């Protein structure tokens, strides 16, 4: 029987993928506002590890980035529909010690948006020899899975949300038992935490867990907390908090729970956008934290600094990102050490 290891995000990394915005994406009307966010994320990543930039035109992106350390960047010219690498990027496991990048189907969050090019990006990264020679690609067609829908503690626990995994147009041919077995088989998990509560207005993903609750180590979960009874999220997030309080680690101890503030409401076209401080990215030696131009930004960063005392905390203004209903973690996909050379 194969032994599968699914590394946590804090596992040493070789690179972080960004799929760059361009004029043929939904970013076209707000390119000038969104571009600095992409640049800031890329440059922050390159201070600590390599950035793998999937783009329409390398020279254009080079000009946008300015002076860079060539040893810390890889460009690949590949067509894309959009930019959410967390959901169309490859997901890495180690099978009997050998690195494998899973290539799940990405269908635009249940066929809400076009994804014909995004769904081919991981295959084309392999074709362009982006990954190390001993890394295998595992084509998991027709199984639909987005990276933002799952969290791991790196010790055999997978955390996800029922609302997303069983949403329409993903894997309707699988019932709960088959889905549970499939995830445990793919990721070698000993157990799955199925969160029943929590959702953010404006979230097109049907409730990705990386907007709500995140493993920070095998005993710590940071989550979005709401204490404003007038906020429309109050009851849902209170239920999520109570659900998390009922969880136990493998050795039957309560998790260390770290509440992150509910971001101040940001409204556009009469719609609330899904701003979340839980959408942070852990990289080598640092944590990139989304900010939203609020006094709560400092609270979120201070909280995460206490959780990650040995990592630099870097705030990135993500107000332009959430106009497209995602944030910092959604925009990125990390690859463990040894995957990209």
């Amino acid at each position: 029987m194969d032994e599968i290891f699914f590394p946590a995000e804090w596992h040493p990394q070789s690179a972080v993928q960004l799929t760059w915005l361009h004029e043929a994406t939904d970013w076209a009307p707000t390119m000038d506002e969104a571009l600095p966010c992409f640049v800031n994320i890329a440059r922050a990543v390159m201070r600590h590890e390599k950035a793998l930039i999937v783009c329409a035109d390398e020279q254009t992106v080079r000009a946008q980035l300015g002076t860079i350390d060539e040893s810390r960047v890889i460009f690949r010219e590949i067509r894309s529909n959009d930019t959410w690498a967390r959901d169309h990027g490859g997901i890495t496991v180690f099978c009997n010690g050998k690195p494998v990048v899973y290539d799940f189907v990405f269908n635009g969050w249940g066929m809400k948006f076009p994804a014909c090019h995004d769904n081919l990006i991981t295959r084309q990264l392999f074709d362009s020899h982006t990954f190390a020679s001993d890394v295998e690609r595992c084509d998991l067609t027709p199984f639909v899975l987005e990276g933002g829908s799952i969290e791991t503690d790196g010790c055999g626990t997978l955390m996800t949300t029922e609302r997303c995994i069983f949403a329409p147009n993903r894997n309707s041919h699988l019932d709960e038992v088959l889905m549970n077995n499939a995830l445990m088989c793919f990721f070698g998990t000993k157990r799955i935490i199925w969160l029943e509560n929590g959702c953010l207005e404006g979230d097109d993903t049907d409730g990705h867990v990386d907007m709500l609750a995140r493993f920070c180590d095998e005993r710590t979960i940071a989550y979005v907390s709401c204490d404003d009874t007038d906020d429309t999220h109050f009851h849902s997030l209170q239920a999520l908090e109570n659900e998390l309080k009922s969880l136990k680690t493998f050795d039957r101890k309560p998790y260390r729970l770290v509440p992150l503030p509910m971001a101040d409401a940001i409204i556009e076209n009469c719609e609330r956008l899904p701003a979340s401080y839980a959408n942070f990215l852990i990289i080598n030696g640092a944590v990139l934290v989304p900010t939203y131009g609020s006094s709560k930004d400092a609270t979120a960063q201070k909280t995460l600094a206490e959780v990650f005392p040995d990592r630099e905390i870097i705030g990135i203004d993500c107000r332009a990102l959430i106009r497209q209903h995602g944030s910092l973690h959604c925009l990125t996909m990390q690859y463990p050490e040894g995957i990209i050379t």
Side-chain angles (χ1 to χ4, degrees), residues 154-165:
C155 295
T157 298
L158 194 76
M159 182 165 63
T160 186
T161 64
E162 291 185 0
R163 186 168 177 262
C164 174
I165 292 294

Side-chain angles (χ1 to χ4, degrees), residues 199-201 226 228-237 262 265 267 272:
C199 62
L200 298 182
E201 292 181 28
C226 181
D228 180 0
T229 57
D230 293 327
D231 192 304
T232 55
H233 297 92
F234 176 75
H235 294 292
S236 174
L237 292 179
M262 178 69 206
I267 309 294
R272 186 164 178 174

Side-chain angles (χ1 to χ4, degrees), residues 279-309:
N279 208 244
F280 56 84
L281 173 69
I282 306 168
I283 62 174
N284 294 341
V287 180
L288 310 190
V289 183
T291 64
Y292 304 104
S294 161
S295 61
K296 293 180 179 178
D297 295 346
T299 302
Q301 291 178 78
K302 181 176 183 294
T303 299
L304 289 171
E306 293 169 354
V307 176
F308 297 102

Side-chain angles (χ1 to χ4, degrees), residues 41-242:
I41 294 171
R43 295 185 73 86
V45 167
M46 285 188 281
R47 284 170 50 189
H48 295 271
E49 60 190 84
K50 290 182 181 179
L52 167 61
I53 298 179
V54 173
C55 58
D57 181 75
E58 176 180 337
Q59 294 308 312
T60 297
V61 180
R62 283 184 173 276
Q64 292 167 343
L65 285 171
T67 303
I68 54 176
D69 181 346
E70 293 293 336
S71 69
R72 291 291 183 96
V73 65
I74 300 169
F75 292 98
R76 290 292 184 267
E77 291 185 349
I78 297 174
R79 294 184 71 181
S80 63
N81 302 99
D82 212 331
T83 56
W84 305 109
R86 178 63 45 183
D87 296 337
H88 63 242
I91 300 175
T92 307
V93 301
F94 292 85
C95 179
N96 299 324
K98 185 176 181 62
V100 177
V101 175
Y102 285 157
D103 190 2
F104 290 98
V105 172
F106 175 63
N107 70 353
W109 308 284
M111 296 188 284
K112 295 184 183 74
F113 302 97
C116 55
H117 301 311
D118 292 346
N119 187 45
L120 299 177
I121 288 175
T122 299
R123 179 193 300 265
Q124 292 177 63
L125 286 173
F126 269 93
D127 291 345
S128 61
H129 308 291
T130 302
F131 299 102
S133 59
D134 63 337
V135 178
E136 291 186 359
R137 171 179 168 265
C138 182
D139 184 349
L140 288 173
T141 305
F143 199 94
V144 178
L145 189 74
E146 301 125 22
S149 69
I150 53 174
E151 273 283 305
T152 181
D153 64 355
C155 295
T157 298
L158 194 76
M159 182 165 63
T160 186
T161 64
E162 291 185 0
R163 186 168 177 262
C164 174
I165 292 294
F166 295 107
N169 300 320
R170 256 69 160 212
N171 299 289
S172 56
H173 59 292
L174 298 177
D175 61 21
E176 188 169 344
V177 172
L178 289 173
M179 177 68 75
N180 193 82
N181 291 342
L183 292 175
M184 294 188 80
C185 178
F186 292 146
F187 296 107
T189 54
K190 302 181 181 77
R191 62 174 186 158
I192 300 177
I193 296 172
W194 292 94
L195 296 178
E196 299 177 8
N197 298 288
C199 62
L200 298 182
E201 292 181 28
D203 180 5
D204 291 328
T205 69
D206 300 303
H208 273 185
V209 71
D210 71 346
M211 289 293 232
L212 299 168
R214 304 288 307 286
F215 281 118
C216 301
D217 60 41
E218 61 269 23
R219 295 181 177 276
T220 304
I221 298 174
Y223 67 99
V224 179
S225 175
C226 181
D227 55 11
D228 180 0
T229 57
D230 293 327
D231 192 304
T232 55
H233 297 92
F234 176 75
H235 294 292
S236 174
L237 292 179
Q238 284 286 304
L240 173 64
E241 183 175 63
N242 290 332

